[in-house]
Amino acid sequence: MLIDSHCHLDFPDFVEDRDDVIRRAREVGVRLMLTISTKITEADKIISLAEAYDDIVCSIGIHPHETSTDSINSNEIVNSLNSNNKIIGVGETGLDFYYNNSEKDKQISSFVEHIEAAIKSNVPLIVHSRNAEEETFDILNQYKNEKLKILMHCFTGSKEFAKKLLDLNCYISVSGIITFKNSTELVETVSSIPIDKLLVETDSPYLSPMPHRGKSNEPSYIIHTVNKLSEIKNLPKETVISSTTENFNKIFNIN
């Protein structure tokens, strides 16, 4: 069973052909898709989407890009989690100092609210980090004794950052970026991450893997990321699929 641990099926890209996108995912063996919240103001839409399909679950949270215009406190997040069993994670949250679409202080305060919600509810925190390795780690490290479940999504960081995250018992998800020809440094870093800490994702509609690069991404394309990860780890594809699925089920407490 394949699991796409991070996609955005509520985005406008999928409005016209969502059923076909989901059908194609099922045809390549994807059995669960975690569609990720980026705006609290659109939470009802993403929850309704998850409720409409047996093989879709969702998260609740605010992307760092949206923290200048969207906010919520940890108790509100916890209440949302308690209200619907289709919501299985907090986020995506974190820090993005590459685009700086939101002020740094607002990104940080939002990140902390999400962390506290994840601790209170004992569900995984889905973390976005770009150009903010030191700051992301420093904040997460403050909660190292709180049994915080952390999933670092779409990892593109340094080997040093990966090691620090593993020291915090994080799980790390890789996307189609590992298939890009210019991702040699990332491939080397991923090769150093134990298979029992890795997940796979599409981040669709973004980051289409080779050979679909430049096109809109979708969950069915996750098979190309799996194939590349199999090559990187020198493991059979079936082992990569079973391991990443087991890791997803472990962090999200799915039996």
Side-chain angles (χ1 to χ4, degrees), residues 9 18-26 33 53 55-56:
L9 294 174
R18 186 179 290 119
D19 285 342
D20 288 337
V21 166
I22 292 168
R23 174 184 53 78
R24 288 193 290 269
R26 292 168 178 164
M33 291 159 271
Y53 297 88
D55 46 3
I56 296 178

Side-chain angles (χ1 to χ4, degrees), residues 129-189:
S129 179
R130 190 169 186 189
N131 279 38
E133 289 189 2
E134 183 177 344
E135 295 89 347
T136 300
F137 175 77
D138 286 347
I139 292 171
L140 292 174
N141 193 45
Q142 293 174 31
Y143 298 89
K144 63 183 177 182
N145 297 321
E146 298 290 341
K147 296 182 179 180
L148 177 61
K149 300 176 182 178
I150 304 166
L151 173 56
M152 184 61 60
H153 120 83
C154 193
F155 184 79
T156 56
S158 65
K159 186 177 289 188
E160 180 184 3
F161 188 37
K163 184 180 184 305
K164 287 181 176 181
L165 292 172
L166 292 171
D167 288 342
L168 291 178
N169 201 32
C170 294
Y171 286 82
I172 294 173
S173 180
V174 294
S175 70
I177 293 176
I178 64 171
T179 71
F180 297 176
K181 292 179 181 178
N182 61 350
S183 292
T184 52
E185 187 174 342
L186 176 60
V187 165
E188 182 181 346
T189 297

Side-chain angles (χ1 to χ4, degrees), residues 163-233:
K163 184 180 184 305
K164 287 181 176 181
L165 292 172
L166 292 171
D167 288 342
L168 291 178
N169 201 32
C170 294
Y171 286 82
I172 294 173
S173 180
V174 294
S175 70
I177 293 176
I178 64 171
T179 71
F180 297 176
K181 292 179 181 178
N182 61 350
S183 292
T184 52
E185 187 174 342
L186 176 60
V187 165
E188 182 181 346
T189 297
V190 171
S191 71
S192 70
I193 300 172
I195 189 64
D196 64 358
K197 287 295 181 181
L198 286 169
L199 281 73
V200 287
E201 65 173 88
T202 57
D203 202 17
S204 51
Y206 309 115
L207 305 176
S208 286
M210 298 293 291
H212 300 288
R213 191 172 183 186
K215 302 176 183 177
S216 181
N217 200 4
E218 60 178 69
S220 65
Y221 294 169
I222 200 167
I223 195 66
H224 301 291
T225 301
V226 167
N227 289 341
K228 182 64 178 182
L229 187 57
S230 171
E231 175 188 320
I232 293 169
K233 302 299 292 181

Side-chain angles (χ1 to χ4, degrees), residues 106-137:
K106 290 185 177 179
Q107 291 189 45
I108 291 169
S109 61
S110 179
F111 191 19
V112 169
E113 290 289 344
H114 285 74
I115 291 170
E116 292 178 353
I119 292 170
K120 290 175 184 177
S121 53
N122 192 33
V123 299
L125 180 78
I126 300 158
V127 180
H128 171 114
S129 179
R130 190 169 186 189
N131 279 38
E133 289 189 2
E134 183 177 344
E135 295 89 347
T136 300
F137 175 77

